[in-house]
Amino acid sequence: MTILNLLPSVLIGAVASARSMTPMAAIAGVRLAHRETPGRLFLLDHPLFKAGALFMGVGELVGDKMKSAPDRTVFLGLLARVMSAGIAGAALAPRGHERLGAGLAVGTAVPLAYATLNGRKAGMRRIGQTRSGLIEDALIVTAGLATVALAVRGRRGE
């Protein structure tokens, strides 16, 4: 195993820093497409998990544009990032290295949450909350889907 094998875990942590539910929604999407993730996690195959992850991913994208949306660095926002990054980071890590993948994803998500928040606030000052959010959505959702797609490339479920 090389450090490149763990890159998807780090990248999905970066995605979680900006959109806490996008990593789980992307994982649920590939599992619904009968693709297998490198790391094995039982809950990835549970139908309720898949539906909930997709629903929460879409809900976050909508809710983020509301004036009352809390900063991503409040306790519950960071907790969601830790959980989502940890699960997704483990799923994208090589089999047998799930804990390391989870740790790397969480270690990336939490500090980057502060950096992505600063970038979003700067964007809000320049172009407003909705437009900056839509641009961030496009970038983060694309990065999340690309990261998960690359990690599961060629892997078929059973």
Side-chain angles (χ1 to χ4, degrees):
M1 183 187 75
T2 68
I3 191 66
L4 288 177
N5 298 112
L6 292 165
L7 186 59
S9 296
V10 173
L11 293 175
I12 208 68
V15 168
S17 76
R19 292 289 178 274
S20 61
M21 295 298 117
T22 296
M24 299 308 300
I27 297 279
V30 299
R31 295 302 292 154
L32 283 169
H34 305 289
R35 294 291 201 171
E36 192 174 314
T37 55
R40 294 295 295 168
L41 295 172
F42 170 73
L43 84 116
L44 293 176
D45 291 319
H46 195 282
L48 186 60
F49 164 80
K50 292 177 205 174
L54 290 171
F55 178 77
M56 289 172 54
V58 170
E60 181 182 36
L61 296 177
V62 172
D64 179 65
K65 311 313 167 290
M66 297 170 53
K67 297 275 185 218
S68 61
D71 285 349
R72 61 193 71 176
T73 56
V74 300
F75 175 75
L76 289 178
L78 287 175
L79 180 61
R81 279 160 178 72
V82 165
M83 294 171 60
S84 178
I87 293 168
L92 299 182
R95 192 153 298 166
H97 298 280
E98 291 89 350
R99 287 185 182 170
L100 179 57
L104 288 170
V106 170
T108 301
V110 173
L112 274 184
Y114 291 90
T116 59
L117 176 61
N118 287 337
R120 175 68 186 280
K121 285 182 175 181
M124 287 170 57
R125 285 190 296 274
R126 290 187 64 134
I127 62 174
Q129 183 172 0
T130 301
R131 280 198 280 175
S132 65
L134 291 172
I135 291 168
E136 188 177 42
D137 288 347
L139 293 171
I140 296 305
V141 169
T142 300
L145 292 173
T147 297
V148 172
L150 287 172
V152 302
R153 178 183 58 215
R155 300 177 79 85
R156 290 270 175 207
E158 280 134 43

